[in-house]
Amino acid sequence: MRLATFKDGSPDGRLMLVSSDGARALPAGAEVPDLLDAIGRWEAVQPLLRAVDARLAAGEGEAIDPVRIAAPLPRSWQWLDGSAFSTHGDLMQIAFGLDPINADRPLMYQGLSDRFYGPNDDVPFPSTEHGIDFEGEFGVIVDAVPMGTDAERAMAHIRLIVQINDWSLRAIAPVEMKTGFGWVQAKPACSMAPFAVTPEELGDGWRDGRVCLDLEIDWNGRRFGAANGREMAFGFHELVAHAALTRDLVAGTIIGSGTVSNADYARVGSSCISEVRAIEMIAGGKPETPFMAFGDRIAMLARGLDGRALFGAIDQQIKRR
């Protein structure tokens, strides 16, 4: 199944089921008004959702207007972002002379979760001097995960998979990192692609808790990268278990992979500007690629093995606040 949220003036929007071609949608119904409600009652609402999905497969549904699409979860209780791609971390450490980080456990921080931009929303920033950067990644949405759940059991709690642009302000990040208290100003609200999909929808693109698909990124109409999500050092089930070690995870918690990055970055490109600048620093001693300017456009999508854009596409322009 593929699920979307349509803007209806309410904070959580209206839950819709989406056809396999991404062209049509039907409301989930009055009993399942929004995705945040649905994920909290996932087992109970499955028959209702599957019945609507069957109607879509039979040809019912209204044409999707991209302007009406919000993030699948316009807001949630918790957003935990990992950094699960070793290549990305290694490049950052080398370029900036950072001490090696213990690789035996996942890296993760808790970020802003009270809003997620829709896939076609303009994204406001106060200043380009803050070093505006995109970060293409994948994420999962879990149902209620009990404290102490191990990685094997955590897999069953992954109900939906999403595609995310984790916006970052690179000039602010080093200042906040040095405080030891984590990010606030450097990590504004993220964006989400239009569709949240069930793991089975990915088919062979979902293996060992990893989204094994290329994440195609175009910056101002030019291909920037197409790294594959398979090279996570820790799968999503392991990230879920890490987050749940000392706390229950409320249904609707979103956990991100961190910037998708591959060892073969010279061929496939990167998923954020900062990584490219790090590569330039290693090669030539200084970064050459600038961060984003107002008016820049970023597009991201991940195609399934059948060529479909399974999550739909993020296509956004940044603007001055």
Side-chain angles (χ1 to χ4, degrees):
M1 290 188 296
R2 296 204 285 177
L3 297 93
T5 294
F6 280 15
K7 300 174 183 178
D8 66 354
S10 69
D12 299 305
R14 182 187 188 193
L15 181 60
M16 307 289 288
L17 276 290
V18 178
S19 62
S20 61
D21 61 3
R24 293 172 290 109
L26 281 172
E31 294 182 65
V32 196
D34 56 68
L35 185 53
L36 195 56
D37 171 78
I39 202 70
R41 303 184 291 125
W42 192 252
E43 290 291 346
V45 303
Q46 284 301 287
L48 298 172
L49 298 180
R50 294 197 182 281
V52 176
D53 195 47
R55 290 169 53 199
L56 281 166
E60 293 187 45
E62 61 180 278
I64 294 177
D65 179 359
V67 175
R68 297 179 61 193
I69 298 181
L73 274 177
R75 62 176 181 171
S76 192
W77 307 111
Q78 185 167 223
W79 157 239
L80 302 172
D81 196 16
S83 182
F85 289 88
S86 299
T87 296
H88 179 73
D90 291 345
L91 287 169
M92 296 297 109
Q93 289 169 25
I94 294 170
F96 297 105
L98 303 174
D99 293 332
I101 298 174
N102 183 359
D104 294 335
R105 55 182 292 165
L107 301 175
M108 187 174 288
Y109 72 93
Q110 186 161 333
L112 179 69
S113 63
D114 65 355
R115 72 197 61 193
F116 290 86
Y117 291 115
N120 303 302
D121 295 343
D122 288 342
V123 181
F125 292 99
S127 173
T128 56
E129 292 181 3
H130 293 158
I132 303 168
D133 197 359
F134 51 83
E135 288 190 62
E137 58 184 272
F138 296 110
V140 297
I141 303 173
V142 299
D143 61 10
V145 183
M147 184 190 306
T149 297
D150 62 23
E152 182 178 357
R153 289 182 295 154
M155 191 71 84
H157 291 285
I158 296 173
R159 298 302 191 174
L160 294 167
I161 304 168
V162 292
Q163 178 193 309
I164 296 169
N165 181 5
D166 174 32
W167 293 101
S168 294
L169 300 176
R170 300 299 191 182
I172 299 175
V175 178
E176 292 194 318
M177 289 173 67
K178 289 177 182 178
T179 68
F181 274 77
W183 288 304
V184 176
Q185 295 176 338
K187 287 292 186 178
C190 300
S191 303
M192 278 193 199
F195 309 139
V197 305
T198 52
E200 61 266 21
E201 187 76 18
L202 269 63
D204 289 340
W206 176 249
R207 298 194 300 274
D208 194 26
R210 293 159 170 84
V211 180
C212 301
L213 302 174
D214 294 343
L215 181 54
E216 301 174 10
I217 299 177
D218 292 338
W219 180 13
N220 290 332
R222 298 183 63 180
R223 179 55 45 89
F224 188 84
N228 193 286
R230 62 176 172 264
E231 292 186 22
M232 290 174 72
F234 299 94
F236 277 111
H237 54 311
E238 294 167 304
L239 296 183
V240 173
H242 175 78
L245 179 64
T246 60
R247 65 171 83 175
D248 296 327
L249 301 183
V250 66
T253 295
I254 307 163
I255 297 180
S257 66
T259 307
V260 177
S261 182
N262 291 170
D264 191 14
Y265 55 81
R267 182 179 66 85
V268 302
S270 298
S271 301
C272 70
I273 300 171
S274 188
E275 182 172 296
V276 167
R277 287 167 63 90
I279 293 167
E280 291 168 345
M281 289 175 67
I282 293 168
K286 63 178 182 178
E288 301 288 346
T289 302
F291 290 113
M292 299 183 79
F294 291 129
D296 279 5
R297 182 170 292 278
I298 190 70
M300 299 181 179
L301 65 84
R303 298 186 189 279
L305 304 182
D306 59 1
R308 289 183 300 151
L310 289 174
F311 305 97
I314 291 173
D315 187 359
Q316 296 181 303
Q317 191 170 42
I318 65 169
K319 65 179 184 179
R320 186 185 301 274
R321 179 68 175 178

PDB file of all heavy atoms in Angstrom, residues 220-248:
ATOM      1  N   ASN A 220      18.838  22.221  -9.171  1.00  0.00           N
ATOM      2  CA  ASN A 220      18.637  23.175 -10.272  1.00  0.00           C
ATOM      3  C   ASN A 220      18.676  22.477 -11.629  1.00  0.00           C
ATOM      4  O   ASN A 220      19.262  22.964 -12.596  1.00  0.00           O
ATOM      5  CB  ASN A 220      19.666  24.300 -10.216  1.00  0.00           C
ATOM      6  CG  ASN A 220      19.444  25.233  -9.036  1.00  0.00           C
ATOM      7  OD1 ASN A 220      18.324  25.401  -8.572  1.00  0.00           O
ATOM      8  ND2 ASN A 220      20.523  25.819  -8.539  1.00  0.00           N
ATOM      9  N   GLY A 221      18.035  21.308 -11.681  1.00  0.00           N
ATOM     10  CA  GLY A 221      17.880  20.592 -12.937  1.00  0.00           C
ATOM     11  C   GLY A 221      19.059  19.753 -13.372  1.00  0.00           C
ATOM     12  O   GLY A 221      19.006  19.115 -14.426  1.00  0.00           O
ATOM     13  N   ARG A 222      20.144  19.723 -12.577  1.00  0.00           N
ATOM     14  CA  ARG A 222      21.318  18.930 -12.940  1.00  0.00           C
ATOM     15  C   ARG A 222      21.501  17.806 -11.932  1.00  0.00           C
ATOM     16  O   ARG A 222      21.345  18.006 -10.723  1.00  0.00           O
ATOM     17  CB  ARG A 222      22.573  19.811 -12.972  1.00  0.00           C
ATOM     18  CG  ARG A 222      22.512  20.927 -14.009  1.00  0.00           C
ATOM     19  CD  ARG A 222      23.798  21.715 -14.055  1.00  0.00           C
ATOM     20  NE  ARG A 222      24.925  20.869 -14.473  1.00  0.00           N
ATOM     21  CZ  ARG A 222      26.176  21.307 -14.597  1.00  0.00           C
ATOM     22  NH1 ARG A 222      26.466  22.570 -14.300  1.00  0.00           N
ATOM     23  NH2 ARG A 222      27.142  20.492 -14.982  1.00  0.00           N
ATOM     24  N   ARG A 223      21.825  16.622 -12.441  1.00  0.00           N
ATOM     25  CA  ARG A 223      22.001  15.463 -11.570  1.00  0.00           C
ATOM     26  C   ARG A 223      23.145  15.702 -10.587  1.00  0.00           C
ATOM     27  O   ARG A 223      24.260  16.038 -10.966  1.00  0.00           O
ATOM     28  CB  ARG A 223      22.248  14.208 -12.416  1.00  0.00           C
ATOM     29  CG  ARG A 223      22.466  12.910 -11.636  1.00  0.00           C
ATOM     30  CD  ARG A 223      21.352  12.559 -10.644  1.00  0.00           C
ATOM     31  NE  ARG A 223      20.013  12.709 -11.170  1.00  0.00           N
ATOM     32  CZ  ARG A 223      19.350  11.729 -11.803  1.00  0.00           C
ATOM     33  NH1 ARG A 223      19.923  10.542 -11.953  1.00  0.00           N
ATOM     34  NH2 ARG A 223      18.128  11.944 -12.259  1.00  0.00           N
ATOM     35  N   PHE A 224      22.844  15.525  -9.314  1.00  0.00           N
ATOM     36  CA  PHE A 224      23.817  15.724  -8.246  1.00  0.00           C
ATOM     37  C   PHE A 224      24.296  14.394  -7.684  1.00  0.00           C
ATOM     38  O   PHE A 224      25.467  14.246  -7.323  1.00  0.00           O
ATOM     39  CB  PHE A 224      23.186  16.570  -7.131  1.00  0.00           C
ATOM     40  CG  PHE A 224      24.142  17.003  -6.063  1.00  0.00           C
ATOM     41  CD1 PHE A 224      24.925  18.136  -6.234  1.00  0.00           C
ATOM     42  CD2 PHE A 224      24.265  16.281  -4.883  1.00  0.00           C
ATOM     43  CE1 PHE A 224      25.813  18.544  -5.244  1.00  0.00           C
ATOM     44  CE2 PHE A 224      25.148  16.682  -3.895  1.00  0.00           C
ATOM     45  CZ  PHE A 224      25.917  17.807  -4.065  1.00  0.00           C
ATOM     46  N   GLY A 225      23.398  13.423  -7.605  1.00  0.00           N
ATOM     47  CA  GLY A 225      23.787  12.125  -7.065  1.00  0.00           C
ATOM     48  C   GLY A 225      22.685  11.104  -7.248  1.00  0.00           C
ATOM     49  O   GLY A 225      21.523  11.434  -7.502  1.00  0.00           O
ATOM     50  N   ALA A 226      23.069   9.839  -7.140  1.00  0.00           N
ATOM     51  CA  ALA A 226      22.108   8.726  -7.190  1.00  0.00           C
ATOM     52  C   ALA A 226      22.656   7.583  -6.350  1.00  0.00           C
ATOM     53  O   ALA A 226      22.789   6.449  -6.816  1.00  0.00           O
ATOM     54  CB  ALA A 226      21.857   8.281  -8.630  1.00  0.00           C
ATOM     55  N   ALA A 227      22.992   7.882  -5.099  1.00  0.00           N
ATOM     56  CA  ALA A 227      23.523   6.864  -4.197  1.00  0.00           C
ATOM     57  C   ALA A 227      22.418   5.895  -3.789  1.00  0.00           C
ATOM     58  O   ALA A 227      21.241   6.251  -3.745  1.00  0.00           O
ATOM     59  CB  ALA A 227      24.138   7.522  -2.955  1.00  0.00           C
ATOM     60  N   ASN A 228      22.816   4.673  -3.483  1.00  0.00           N
ATOM     61  CA  ASN A 228      21.869   3.607  -3.143  1.00  0.00           C
ATOM     62  C   ASN A 228      21.811   3.411  -1.631  1.00  0.00           C
ATOM     63  O   ASN A 228      22.835   3.495  -0.948  1.00  0.00           O
ATOM     64  CB  ASN A 228      22.286   2.312  -3.835  1.00  0.00           C
ATOM     65  CG  ASN A 228      21.210   1.242  -3.792  1.00  0.00           C
ATOM     66  OD1 ASN A 228      20.961   0.628  -2.755  1.00  0.00           O
ATOM     67  ND2 ASN A 228      20.575   1.011  -4.922  1.00  0.00           N
ATOM     68  N   GLY A 229      20.617   3.132  -1.114  1.00  0.00           N
ATOM     69  CA  GLY A 229      20.439   2.993   0.323  1.00  0.00           C
ATOM     70  C   GLY A 229      20.915   1.694   0.924  1.00  0.00           C
ATOM     71  O   GLY A 229      20.816   1.499   2.146  1.00  0.00           O
ATOM     72  N   ARG A 230      21.484   0.799   0.116  1.00  0.00           N
ATOM     73  CA  ARG A 230      21.847  -0.523   0.640  1.00  0.00           C
ATOM     74  C   ARG A 230      23.065  -0.513   1.557  1.00  0.00           C
ATOM     75  O   ARG A 230      23.280  -1.476   2.305  1.00  0.00           O
ATOM     76  CB  ARG A 230      22.118  -1.490  -0.515  1.00  0.00           C
ATOM     77  CG  ARG A 230      23.273  -1.086  -1.411  1.00  0.00           C
ATOM     78  CD  ARG A 230      23.581  -2.104  -2.499  1.00  0.00           C
ATOM     79  NE  ARG A 230      24.558  -1.572  -3.441  1.00  0.00           N
ATOM     80  CZ  ARG A 230      24.254  -0.983  -4.587  1.00  0.00           C
ATOM     81  NH1 ARG A 230      22.989  -0.872  -4.945  1.00  0.00           N
ATOM     82  NH2 ARG A 230      25.198  -0.511  -5.380  1.00  0.00           N
ATOM     83  N   GLU A 231      23.907   0.545   1.526  1.00  0.00           N
ATOM     84  CA  GLU A 231      25.176   0.516   2.248  1.00  0.00           C
ATOM     85  C   GLU A 231      25.091   1.046   3.683  1.00  0.00           C
ATOM     86  O   GLU A 231      26.085   1.489   4.249  1.00  0.00           O
ATOM     87  CB  GLU A 231      26.246   1.286   1.460  1.00  0.00           C
ATOM     88  CG  GLU A 231      26.629   0.602   0.161  1.00  0.00           C
ATOM     89  CD  GLU A 231      27.795   1.269  -0.551  1.00  0.00           C
ATOM     90  OE1 GLU A 231      28.586   1.986   0.107  1.00  0.00           O
ATOM     91  OE2 GLU A 231      27.923   1.072  -1.782  1.00  0.00           O
ATOM     92  N   MET A 232      23.920   0.968   4.287  1.00  0.00           N
ATOM     93  CA  MET A 232      23.795   1.344   5.698  1.00  0.00           C
ATOM     94  C   MET A 232      24.618   0.398   6.568  1.00  0.00           C
ATOM     95  O   MET A 232      24.527  -0.824   6.428  1.00  0.00           O
ATOM     96  CB  MET A 232      22.334   1.288   6.147  1.00  0.00           C
ATOM     97  CG  MET A 232      21.447   2.373   5.563  1.00  0.00           C
ATOM     98  SD  MET A 232      19.694   2.140   5.985  1.00  0.00           S
ATOM     99  CE  MET A 232      19.706   2.557   7.733  1.00  0.00           C
ATOM    100  N   ALA A 233      25.407   0.957   7.453  1.00  0.00           N
ATOM    101  CA  ALA A 233      26.172   0.121   8.389  1.00  0.00           C
ATOM    102  C   ALA A 233      25.247  -0.549   9.397  1.00  0.00           C
ATOM    103  O   ALA A 233      25.556  -1.628   9.921  1.00  0.00           O
ATOM    104  CB  ALA A 233      27.215   0.967   9.110  1.00  0.00           C
ATOM    105  N   PHE A 234      24.140   0.090   9.699  1.00  0.00           N
ATOM    106  CA  PHE A 234      23.098  -0.459  10.567  1.00  0.00           C
ATOM    107  C   PHE A 234      21.782  -0.377   9.816  1.00  0.00           C
ATOM    108  O   PHE A 234      21.438   0.673   9.270  1.00  0.00           O
ATOM    109  CB  PHE A 234      22.990   0.334  11.876  1.00  0.00           C
ATOM    110  CG  PHE A 234      24.246   0.321  12.709  1.00  0.00           C
ATOM    111  CD1 PHE A 234      25.175   1.346  12.590  1.00  0.00           C
ATOM    112  CD2 PHE A 234      24.488  -0.708  13.604  1.00  0.00           C
ATOM    113  CE1 PHE A 234      26.330   1.350  13.358  1.00  0.00           C
ATOM    114  CE2 PHE A 234      25.642  -0.720  14.375  1.00  0.00           C
ATOM    115  CZ  PHE A 234      26.570   0.302  14.250  1.00  0.00           C
ATOM    116  N   GLY A 235      21.029  -1.492   9.780  1.00  0.00           N
ATOM    117  CA  GLY A 235      19.719  -1.471   9.151  1.00  0.00           C
ATOM    118  C   GLY A 235      18.719  -0.723  10.011  1.00  0.00           C
ATOM    119  O   GLY A 235      18.958  -0.429  11.189  1.00  0.00           O
ATOM    120  N   PHE A 236      17.564  -0.414   9.430  1.00  0.00           N
ATOM    121  CA  PHE A 236      16.554   0.333  10.181  1.00  0.00           C
ATOM    122  C   PHE A 236      16.088  -0.420  11.425  1.00  0.00           C
ATOM    123  O   PHE A 236      15.782   0.200  12.447  1.00  0.00           O
ATOM    124  CB  PHE A 236      15.358   0.662   9.289  1.00  0.00           C
ATOM    125  CG  PHE A 236      15.555   1.891   8.450  1.00  0.00           C
ATOM    126  CD1 PHE A 236      15.685   1.799   7.073  1.00  0.00           C
ATOM    127  CD2 PHE A 236      15.607   3.146   9.042  1.00  0.00           C
ATOM    128  CE1 PHE A 236      15.853   2.942   6.295  1.00  0.00           C
ATOM    129  CE2 PHE A 236      15.787   4.293   8.276  1.00  0.00           C
ATOM    130  CZ  PHE A 236      15.898   4.190   6.893  1.00  0.00           C
ATOM    131  N   HIS A 237      16.029  -1.750  11.344  1.00  0.00           N
ATOM    132  CA  HIS A 237      15.616  -2.506  12.533  1.00  0.00           C
ATOM    133  C   HIS A 237      16.613  -2.317  13.668  1.00  0.00           C
ATOM    134  O   HIS A 237      16.229  -2.251  14.846  1.00  0.00           O
ATOM    135  CB  HIS A 237      15.463  -3.984  12.184  1.00  0.00           C
ATOM    136  CG  HIS A 237      16.657  -4.624  11.555  1.00  0.00           C
ATOM    137  ND1 HIS A 237      17.345  -4.080  10.491  1.00  0.00           N
ATOM    138  CD2 HIS A 237      17.311  -5.786  11.840  1.00  0.00           C
ATOM    139  CE1 HIS A 237      18.345  -4.862  10.148  1.00  0.00           C
ATOM    140  NE2 HIS A 237      18.351  -5.900  10.963  1.00  0.00           N
ATOM    141  N   GLU A 238      17.889  -2.167  13.316  1.00  0.00           N
ATOM    142  CA  GLU A 238      18.910  -1.920  14.341  1.00  0.00           C
ATOM    143  C   GLU A 238      18.830  -0.495  14.881  1.00  0.00           C
ATOM    144  O   GLU A 238      19.082  -0.250  16.067  1.00  0.00           O
ATOM    145  CB  GLU A 238      20.294  -2.207  13.752  1.00  0.00           C
ATOM    146  CG  GLU A 238      20.478  -3.686  13.424  1.00  0.00           C
ATOM    147  CD  GLU A 238      21.695  -3.963  12.555  1.00  0.00           C
ATOM    148  OE1 GLU A 238      21.787  -3.368  11.451  1.00  0.00           O
ATOM    149  OE2 GLU A 238      22.530  -4.778  12.976  1.00  0.00           O
ATOM    150  N   LEU A 239      18.470   0.460  14.018  1.00  0.00           N
ATOM    151  CA  LEU A 239      18.266   1.825  14.488  1.00  0.00           C
ATOM    152  C   LEU A 239      17.069   1.908  15.436  1.00  0.00           C
ATOM    153  O   LEU A 239      17.111   2.620  16.451  1.00  0.00           O
ATOM    154  CB  LEU A 239      18.060   2.770  13.310  1.00  0.00           C
ATOM    155  CG  LEU A 239      19.225   2.942  12.333  1.00  0.00           C
ATOM    156  CD1 LEU A 239      18.866   3.973  11.255  1.00  0.00           C
ATOM    157  CD2 LEU A 239      20.507   3.341  13.043  1.00  0.00           C
ATOM    158  N   VAL A 240      16.000   1.187  15.109  1.00  0.00           N
ATOM    159  CA  VAL A 240      14.825   1.160  15.988  1.00  0.00           C
ATOM    160  C   VAL A 240      15.188   0.574  17.348  1.00  0.00           C
ATOM    161  O   VAL A 240      14.830   1.131  18.396  1.00  0.00           O
ATOM    162  CB  VAL A 240      13.673   0.373  15.342  1.00  0.00           C
ATOM    163  CG1 VAL A 240      12.515   0.199  16.323  1.00  0.00           C
ATOM    164  CG2 VAL A 240      13.191   1.055  14.070  1.00  0.00           C
ATOM    165  N   ALA A 241      15.922  -0.535  17.337  1.00  0.00           N
ATOM    166  CA  ALA A 241      16.327  -1.168  18.592  1.00  0.00           C
ATOM    167  C   ALA A 241      17.221  -0.242  19.414  1.00  0.00           C
ATOM    168  O   ALA A 241      17.101  -0.165  20.648  1.00  0.00           O
ATOM    169  CB  ALA A 241      17.040  -2.485  18.310  1.00  0.00           C
ATOM    170  N   HIS A 242      18.111   0.473  18.742  1.00  0.00           N
ATOM    171  CA  HIS A 242      18.982   1.421  19.441  1.00  0.00           C
ATOM    172  C   HIS A 242      18.150   2.513  20.123  1.00  0.00           C
ATOM    173  O   HIS A 242      18.381   2.843  21.292  1.00  0.00           O
ATOM    174  CB  HIS A 242      19.935   2.062  18.430  1.00  0.00           C
ATOM    175  CG  HIS A 242      20.794   3.146  18.994  1.00  0.00           C
ATOM    176  ND1 HIS A 242      21.907   2.898  19.762  1.00  0.00           N
ATOM    177  CD2 HIS A 242      20.693   4.504  18.895  1.00  0.00           C
ATOM    178  CE1 HIS A 242      22.467   4.049  20.126  1.00  0.00           C
ATOM    179  NE2 HIS A 242      21.749   5.040  19.609  1.00  0.00           N
ATOM    180  N   ALA A 243      17.177   3.047  19.398  1.00  0.00           N
ATOM    181  CA  ALA A 243      16.347   4.118  19.960  1.00  0.00           C
ATOM    182  C   ALA A 243      15.492   3.630  21.118  1.00  0.00           C
ATOM    183  O   ALA A 243      15.192   4.391  22.050  1.00  0.00           O
ATOM    184  CB  ALA A 243      15.461   4.711  18.867  1.00  0.00           C
ATOM    185  N   ALA A 244      15.093   2.368  21.079  1.00  0.00           N
ATOM    186  CA  ALA A 244      14.180   1.817  22.083  1.00  0.00           C
ATOM    187  C   ALA A 244      14.895   1.182  23.278  1.00  0.00           C
ATOM    188  O   ALA A 244      14.236   0.618  24.146  1.00  0.00           O
ATOM    189  CB  ALA A 244      13.266   0.779  21.433  1.00  0.00           C
ATOM    190  N   LEU A 245      16.204   1.283  23.338  1.00  0.00           N
ATOM    191  CA  LEU A 245      16.943   0.615  24.417  1.00  0.00           C
ATOM    192  C   LEU A 245      16.463   1.058  25.799  1.00  0.00           C
ATOM    193  O   LEU A 245      16.269   0.227  26.694  1.00  0.00           O
ATOM    194  CB  LEU A 245      18.439   0.900  24.283  1.00  0.00           C
ATOM    195  CG  LEU A 245      19.323   0.274  25.371  1.00  0.00           C
ATOM    196  CD1 LEU A 245      19.272  -1.244  25.311  1.00  0.00           C
ATOM    197  CD2 LEU A 245      20.762   0.772  25.244  1.00  0.00           C
ATOM    198  N   THR A 246      16.243   2.362  25.979  1.00  0.00           N
ATOM    199  CA  THR A 246      15.890   2.862  27.308  1.00  0.00           C
ATOM    200  C   THR A 246      14.559   3.618  27.330  1.00  0.00           C
ATOM    201  O   THR A 246      14.250   4.292  28.308  1.00  0.00           O
ATOM    202  CB  THR A 246      16.989   3.815  27.828  1.00  0.00           C
ATOM    203  OG1 THR A 246      17.123   4.928  26.916  1.00  0.00           O
ATOM    204  CG2 THR A 246      18.327   3.100  27.939  1.00  0.00           C
ATOM    205  N   ARG A 247      13.790   3.530  26.246  1.00  0.00           N
ATOM    206  CA  ARG A 247      12.502   4.229  26.193  1.00  0.00           C
ATOM    207  C   ARG A 247      11.536   3.467  25.307  1.00  0.00           C
ATOM    208  O   ARG A 247      11.935   2.778  24.367  1.00  0.00           O
ATOM    209  CB  ARG A 247      12.673   5.654  25.654  1.00  0.00           C
ATOM    210  CG  ARG A 247      13.148   5.698  24.214  1.00  0.00           C
ATOM    211  CD  ARG A 247      13.116   7.104  23.626  1.00  0.00           C
ATOM    212  NE  ARG A 247      14.300   7.881  23.976  1.00  0.00           N
ATOM    213  CZ  ARG A 247      14.533   9.096  23.498  1.00  0.00           C
ATOM    214  NH1 ARG A 247      13.681   9.678  22.679  1.00  0.00           N
ATOM    215  NH2 ARG A 247      15.625   9.750  23.840  1.00  0.00           N
ATOM    216  N   ASP A 248      10.254   3.593  25.616  1.00  0.00           N
ATOM    217  CA  ASP A 248       9.226   3.159  24.677  1.00  0.00           C
ATOM    218  C   ASP A 248       9.194   4.167  23.522  1.00  0.00           C
ATOM    219  O   ASP A 248       9.357   5.373  23.737  1.00  0.00           O
ATOM    220  CB  ASP A 248       7.848   3.143  25.339  1.00  0.00           C
ATOM    221  CG  ASP A 248       7.736   2.141  26.483  1.00  0.00           C
ATOM    222  OD1 ASP A 248       8.383   1.080  26.400  1.00  0.00           O
ATOM    223  OD2 ASP A 248       7.009   2.430  27.456  1.00  0.00           O
TER     224      ASP A 248
END
